[in-house]
Amino acid sequence: MRYLITILLFTFFALIGQAQDKPFLNAYDKYWEIDDGFYRVMEDGKIGLVNQNGDIIIPCENDQVWNLQDNGNIKVLKNGKLGIYNTNGDIIVPTIYEMIWGFEDGKARVLRNGKIGYVNQHGNEFIPCEYDQIRTFEDGKAKVLKNGRTGFVNLSGHEFIPAIYHKIWEFEDGIAKVLRNGKMGYINLQGLEIIPCEYQSIGTFIDGVAQAVQNGQISYIDKNGNPTSKLKEDTIVENDARVVYADQKVTGKDSSKTKVVDRDTTVIKFFGSKVEIVDEDGTKEFSFDKDKSFEQNRNDHKKHRKFRAHYWGVDIGLNNYMSRDGNFSLPDGYNYLSLNTGKSIEVSVNAFQQNISLSRRGNVGFVTGLGLTYNNYRFDNPNIPVSLANGNLSSVAISDPIEKNKLTTLYLTAPVLFELQFSRKRPDAFYISTGVIGGYRLKSHTKVVSKIDGDRTKDKNNDSFALNDFRYGAQLRVGFKAINLYATYYLSEMFENDKGPELYPISFGISLYPGSW
């Protein structure tokens, strides 16, 4: 306690001695030494700055005066606005800004009226405060964002690349890909559009040649936008994708790889049902009907007690995918596949059913059939999957405001399930079935729904997206009368090996069985 009293007394007399040594400090309500020879002083609730001789550097009219910066400047706050003085008492930056960032290379970002600009070391606003964002200067230029559009300014404050683009990619070899009004082009370092923005997509230049899509047709251009011969056959493009944006649709194909396919119909007879699959130019259409000859032959045989299983009807549920070890985390580099599970809907229309009885009592047997399964994978981020030129899965960011972006698949499915009905008198009382299910992919597409200037637009892109054509898994159904619960886990990978992530689809939901209504 004695030591504490000694220290307090020493401090008190030191302050008195300092005040006597600097009698001008007594004229202020409070004072603090903030640096060698500089004192922050308060008068009538306002703060200023004086030097060791009592000269007023900053008058007492500010709400706050900060410590000296490394460059000798002093930041002040006056009426809710920031400014900067120097130690000579000169106003370097007027007190009109909501934010002043630190000076770097003689310039500092400033915020005024919610917009960002730049001031130089003399306080001149060489880039006006009219931008939503300005990045750090690199190589004498800085990317800016104004009214949702992107451009570049130079050190003179000149907007040499006007802020009219939705996106500007990184410059490579003096050129950069740009997106304007949903169309792609290229600009140079002077801001000139060396390739006008009139393409739906343009790939990366390889050996001076890039693949481009215009009006649904694929072509090849050089760095001046002139038509040229295609890429070498052995060229592998790792980071290029066929891009589809929210207001375009790509339907063309590489003419050198397009085959003319005649209309081809395949008929499959399966347990009393007839399936017709029509393939025309890569588009599959299918129809179902009863095989009357099969029904006639069936009526000629003596029937056992009827076994009626539970497959025919409609399944409605949720779908997702998981890794091999059973968790829902995505592999590195595939976060763009993250889902909104609550909106990722599975719908199955189980159109045909065939019962195979194993008991004269009609309560044990197998069931198989044919159906269609739609899987909607609704993404929770502004990216959409695309297929690269080498078939690998990649993604493209969507710049327009998104209402919906998803991947939809359609499979022709066929199960083989063993069913046990626990009541011999009432086959619908309670039942359980389990077994395997297989599927063949008929089509797949992505869909983006967005709003541009208040107009709702839709875009659909058909592709394989590195999905496996065949899949197989296990299914469990448990039900009572017309309603049963189901769960499906596919043992086969969702995407082709080494072309996409190792993920396994799962789904669960409720089934409505009309046969018991």
Side-chain angles (χ1 to χ4, degrees):
M1 189 66 182
R2 183 186 303 172
Y3 292 108
L4 178 59
I5 294 174
T6 303
I7 293 172
L8 292 174
L9 290 173
F10 178 81
T11 303
F12 175 74
F13 286 115
L15 290 174
I16 293 176
Q18 185 184 59
Q20 292 175 346
D21 185 46
K22 305 285 189 300
F24 58 86
L25 294 175
N26 295 323
Y28 297 100
D29 300 332
K30 289 183 180 180
Y31 61 87
W32 306 265
E33 185 175 18
I34 61 173
D35 210 307
D36 232 4
F38 291 95
Y39 297 87
R40 182 165 48 221
V41 293
M42 176 182 287
E43 186 177 33
D44 297 330
K46 297 294 183 178
I47 298 176
L49 187 74
V50 298
N51 62 17
Q52 59 184 352
N53 299 319
D55 301 323
I56 297 176
I57 306 300
I58 300 175
C60 290
E61 54 186 27
N62 303 284
D63 303 312
Q64 182 59 279
V65 175
W66 279 270
N67 292 346
L68 270 70
Q69 299 176 357
D70 293 338
N71 57 4
N73 291 338
I74 307 113
K75 187 183 294 186
V76 301
L77 178 69
K78 181 180 179 181
N79 299 325
K81 303 291 184 179
L82 295 171
I84 293 179
Y85 282 78
N86 63 18
T87 52
N88 295 324
D90 302 319
I91 298 178
I92 301 299
V93 179
T95 52
I96 60 174
Y97 297 102
E98 292 99 59
M99 183 68 182
I100 302 175
W101 284 264
F103 275 86
E104 293 183 8
D105 299 325
K107 57 186 178 298
R109 278 193 304 172
V110 291
L111 178 70
R112 180 164 55 87
N113 298 326
K115 299 292 183 179
I116 296 177
Y118 259 91
V119 296
N120 59 22
Q121 57 189 346
H122 305 295
N124 298 321
E125 203 174 277
F126 71 97
I127 296 179
C129 290
E130 59 184 34
Y131 296 100
D132 303 315
Q133 186 56 269
I134 304 178
R135 291 189 180 179
T136 305
F137 276 89
E138 293 183 6
D139 299 325
K141 63 182 184 300
K143 185 179 286 189
V144 296
L145 180 68
K146 181 166 64 176
N147 299 325
R149 304 295 178 95
T150 300
F152 274 89
V153 295
N154 58 23
L155 289 171
S156 300
H158 173 58
E159 195 176 286
F160 69 98
I161 297 178
I164 60 175
Y165 298 102
H166 286 95
K167 184 175 182 179
I168 302 177
W169 280 259
E170 296 296 327
F171 278 89
E172 294 182 8
D173 299 327
I175 61 175
K177 184 161 53 178
V178 292
L179 176 70
R180 177 162 57 89
N181 298 328
K183 298 294 181 70
M184 285 186 175
Y186 266 87
I187 59 174
N188 60 18
L189 286 170
Q190 289 72 46
L192 299 176
E193 275 191 14
I194 57 175
I195 298 177
C197 292
E198 57 186 29
Y199 295 92
Q200 290 167 266
S201 75
I202 303 179
T204 304
F205 280 96
I206 300 176
D207 297 330
V209 178
Q211 186 184 83
V213 178
Q214 186 178 34
N215 299 324
Q217 300 298 318
I218 294 179
S219 62
Y220 298 89
I221 58 175
D222 61 19
K223 290 187 176 181
N224 295 318
N226 299 318
T228 184
S229 58
K230 60 179 294 186
L231 297 169
K232 296 179 181 179
E233 291 295 337
D234 57 351
T235 300
I236 298 177
V237 182
E238 293 292 344
N239 296 310
D240 191 21
R242 188 180 181 195
V243 183
V244 177
Y245 289 90
D247 54 347
Q248 285 83 42
K249 184 176 182 180
V250 177
T251 58
K253 297 182 179 180
D254 185 350
S255 59
S256 66
K257 297 180 181 179
T258 302
K259 297 180 180 179
V260 178
V261 180
D262 294 329
R263 185 177 179 91
D264 185 21
T265 302
T266 302
V267 178
I268 303 173
K269 294 183 179 181
F270 186 82
F271 288 112
S273 300
K274 183 170 68 174
V275 182
E276 289 188 359
I277 302 175
V278 180
D279 191 332
E280 184 175 9
D281 291 336
T283 300
K284 297 180 178 65
E285 298 180 358
F286 45 89
S287 61
F288 300 96
D289 200 358
K290 288 287 185 180
D291 184 358
K292 296 180 180 179
S293 62
F294 183 90
E295 290 291 333
Q296 183 63 41
N297 292 332
R298 226 175 113 188
N299 292 333
D300 293 337
H301 294 280
K302 185 178 179 180
K303 297 180 181 178
H304 296 295
R305 182 177 178 181
K306 193 171 184 178
F307 168 73
R308 187 174 61 186
H310 301 82
Y311 171 73
W312 179 58
V314 178
D315 299 344
I316 302 174
L318 302 176
N319 50 221
N320 206 317
Y321 29 66
M322 59 174 54
S323 61
R324 177 183 288 274
D325 53 5
N327 63 60
F328 293 95
S329 60
L330 292 167
D332 293 339
Y334 292 99
N335 288 332
Y336 59 85
L337 293 175
S338 63
L339 297 179
N340 183 336
T341 303
K343 294 184 178 180
S344 297
I345 306 298
E346 178 184 79
V347 177
S348 296
V349 180
N350 305 322
F352 297 101
Q353 171 179 311
Q354 178 62 38
N355 304 308
I356 305 173
S357 179
L358 298 179
S359 168
R360 290 183 177 273
R361 296 177 178 177
N363 66 328
V364 179
F366 285 99
V367 60
T368 185
L370 285 176
L372 296 174
T373 298
Y374 291 85
N375 294 102
N376 293 280
Y377 299 97
R378 184 82 169 265
F379 303 111
D380 62 1
N381 60 89
N383 296 277
I384 199 72
V386 294
S387 295
L388 299 179
N390 59 4
N392 288 350
L393 189 68
S394 186
S395 71
V396 170
I398 304 169
S399 57
D400 295 317
I402 303 172
E403 285 191 355
K404 180 193 301 183
N405 62 323
K406 66 176 183 176
L407 168 66
T408 298
T409 62
L410 173 62
Y411 284 84
L412 178 66
T413 56
V416 178
L417 305 174
F418 173 80
E419 180 168 314
L420 173 62
Q421 300 166 359
F422 290 85
S423 174
R424 298 175 183 175
K425 295 181 180 181
R426 299 180 56 192
D428 291 334
F430 181 71
Y431 46 89
I432 184 170
S433 60
T434 184
V436 297
I437 185 168
Y440 173 71
R441 184 176 60 86
L442 299 174
K443 62 187 302 184
S444 52
H445 69 267
T446 56
K447 184 176 182 180
V448 176
V449 179
S450 60
K451 273 193 175 180
I452 303 175
D453 298 329
D455 295 326
R456 195 167 182 262
T457 62
K458 298 180 183 179
D459 182 72
K460 185 184 291 186
N461 181 30
N462 297 304
D463 208 326
S464 66
F465 304 103
L467 293 162
N468 276 313
D469 288 334
F470 292 92
R471 66 181 185 180
Y472 59 91
Q475 188 172 89
L476 173 67
R477 292 174 176 268
V478 178
F480 178 79
K481 291 192 175 181
I483 298 177
N484 67 62
L485 303 177
Y486 77 95
T488 308
Y489 174 75
Y490 285 95
L491 303 171
S492 56
E493 295 182 32
M494 183 172 178
F495 299 99
E496 294 183 51
N497 190 30
D498 296 328
K499 290 188 177 181
E502 185 180 359
L503 297 173
Y504 300 87
I506 63 169
S507 60
F508 59 93
I510 189 170
S511 298
L512 304 178
Y513 179 67
S516 298
W517 294 358

